[in-house]
Amino acid sequence: MKADGVFAGGGVKGLAFSGALQASAEAGYDEWNRLAGTSAGAITAMALAVGYSAAQLRELLESFDLATIADYGPLREAEIPVNLALHEGATHGVALHRWIEQLLDEAPQPAKKFGELAEEKLQVVGVDLAHSRMVVFPRDVALYVDDAGRPLVPEEFPIADAVRISAGFPYFFPPMHLEDAKTGKQGVLVDGGVASAFPVFLFDSPEPKHPTWGYRLFSGNPPEQPSYTEIGGPTWPIEMLKAIVDTSMGALDKLEMVAFGPRTISIPTGDVPTLDFSLDEAQKKELYDFGYSTAKAFFEANPDGRNTYGKVPASLTS
């Protein structure tokens, strides 16, 4: 059965998506028409767009050493102040970019540019802090120009650059820069979760043909309950900043859940921190199991996929 898929941000907790996708495939949803994502969700959406299956996604995520993404440098934590001064992030951000490129190169259906995918196949959410706006790739690429002042072409824009922007957790990974066509100033492009961690509305229409299933992550254990972050002491500014970004990525209020609930798979992630790149095998399995069991229960309840227009997709009413 066909569906659109939207994946939220959540850092390393995105490992839970592979379990949810396996349960989705078992429920019959293994053909994705359009895909969108933010941060870790952008990586998942990209992988599906270039042909990775749920099983393949689990294999590559479990076999990959996540610690290599945190490329502080040989002196690690001692280099963070230098990295922040020189690169605008605690890490260099190079390893993450290379890993995304590797996923694209080794994909069942390799692609480097958005134009090599089916039209509207993939949408990736980022944020331009300098211009105070959400940026959806590839459609908003034309807001920017190249070194010669020519507008960038959406179809020619590298998928890896868009996903790297969307996954660029502020202060941890350096932002990327593109020159704005109107101001002539450099945009500061970072993690899409700052503005829209769960853009499940992107594909909504008054007459949906098939459902959009949304996959979001939240800290804690089921039933859903808020997590607690200690904010205090001499490091309170850093703790508060991390809490602000985590909240912007994971929190949905009751009003949003009324609108998004009928097609949202809300996956608990226990106590796994967003940026813990040293997960052990037990933690990886826990995340996978959380995703699998949550999605399995969701589809067993026969959700109607009602969207923000109040419409049930045609494929679920026939």
Side-chain angles (χ1 to χ4, degrees):
M1 295 185 287
K2 284 186 177 182
D4 296 331
V6 177
F7 299 86
V12 298
K13 297 185 286 190
L15 290 168
F17 290 141
S18 60
L21 286 167
Q22 180 59 43
S24 303
E26 292 173 8
Y29 293 100
D30 57 0
E31 184 177 350
W32 298 99
N33 186 56
R34 294 176 297 180
L35 295 148
T38 296
S39 193
I43 295 174
T44 301
M46 177 200 76
L48 294 173
V50 292
Y52 286 102
S53 67
Q56 289 171 320
L57 190 59
R58 180 186 187 183
E59 181 180 358
L60 69 88
L61 289 175
E62 289 189 346
S63 62
F64 181 69
D65 182 4
L66 291 170
T68 61
I69 292 178
D71 54 348
Y72 300 102
L75 300 180
R76 295 187 63 76
E77 283 75 7
E79 296 197 30
I80 291 177
V82 176
N83 289 337
L84 285 168
L86 296 180
H87 307 296
E88 302 175 298
T91 67
H92 292 259
V94 175
L96 174 61
H97 208 152
R98 287 176 177 168
W99 180 54
I100 294 169
E101 291 175 328
Q102 181 182 346
L103 291 178
L104 292 168
D105 290 340
E106 298 176 358
Q109 301 162 24
K112 292 184 179 295
K113 302 175 182 179
F114 280 96
E116 296 171 3
L117 301 174
E119 188 175 0
E120 296 188 345
K121 181 70 174 181
L122 176 65
Q123 294 188 38
V124 175
V125 179
V127 168
D128 184 343
L129 295 177
H131 295 93
S132 303
R133 66 188 176 210
M134 184 172 78
V135 181
V136 180
F137 296 92
R139 74 182 190 200
D140 291 334
V141 165
L143 295 172
Y144 301 94
V145 296
D146 63 17
D147 293 340
R150 296 169 300 205
L152 297 178
V153 179
E155 293 78 12
E156 294 297 314
F157 197 78
I159 299 170
D161 287 2
V163 175
R164 165 62 182 82
I165 287 168
S166 185
F169 198 95
Y171 285 99
F172 190 80
F173 295 112
M176 294 183 67
H177 301 278
L178 294 171
E179 183 181 333
D180 182 79
K182 290 187 176 179
T183 66
K185 304 294 186 180
Q186 291 292 315
V188 179
L189 294 138
V190 301
D191 197 315
V194 173
S196 183
F198 187 47
V200 70
F201 48 82
L202 277 176
F203 302 131
D204 280 359
S205 70
E207 297 181 2
K209 294 181 180 179
H210 45 257
T212 294
W213 300 127
Y215 300 77
R216 65 174 285 258
L217 309 167
F218 69 89
S219 298
N221 296 294
E224 183 165 348
Q225 40 185 266
S227 61
Y228 177 74
T229 300
E230 186 74 36
I231 302 175
T235 61
W236 73 264
I238 296 174
E239 292 165 358
M240 181 171 286
L241 177 63
K242 290 177 65 177
I244 289 171
V245 178
D246 275 349
T247 300
S248 72
M249 286 189 176
L252 287 182
D253 63 25
K254 291 181 179 179
L255 180 62
E256 287 176 309
M257 285 309 296
V258 169
F260 300 159
R263 65 301 192 22
T264 296
I265 302 163
S266 292
I267 305 169
T269 57
D271 297 321
V272 176
T274 300
L275 296 175
D276 184 1
F277 291 95
S278 58
L279 296 183
D280 58 32
E281 294 306 312
Q283 289 174 306
K284 289 182 180 180
K285 184 178 186 304
E286 180 184 46
L287 288 171
Y288 179 89
D289 290 345
F290 272 142
Y292 181 84
S293 60
T294 304
K296 184 176 178 63
F298 176 83
F299 287 113
E300 285 178 346
N302 297 315
D304 65 14
R306 191 178 305 273
N307 68 14
T308 50
Y309 288 91
K311 299 297 183 179
V312 175
S315 65
L316 297 182
T317 59
S318 57

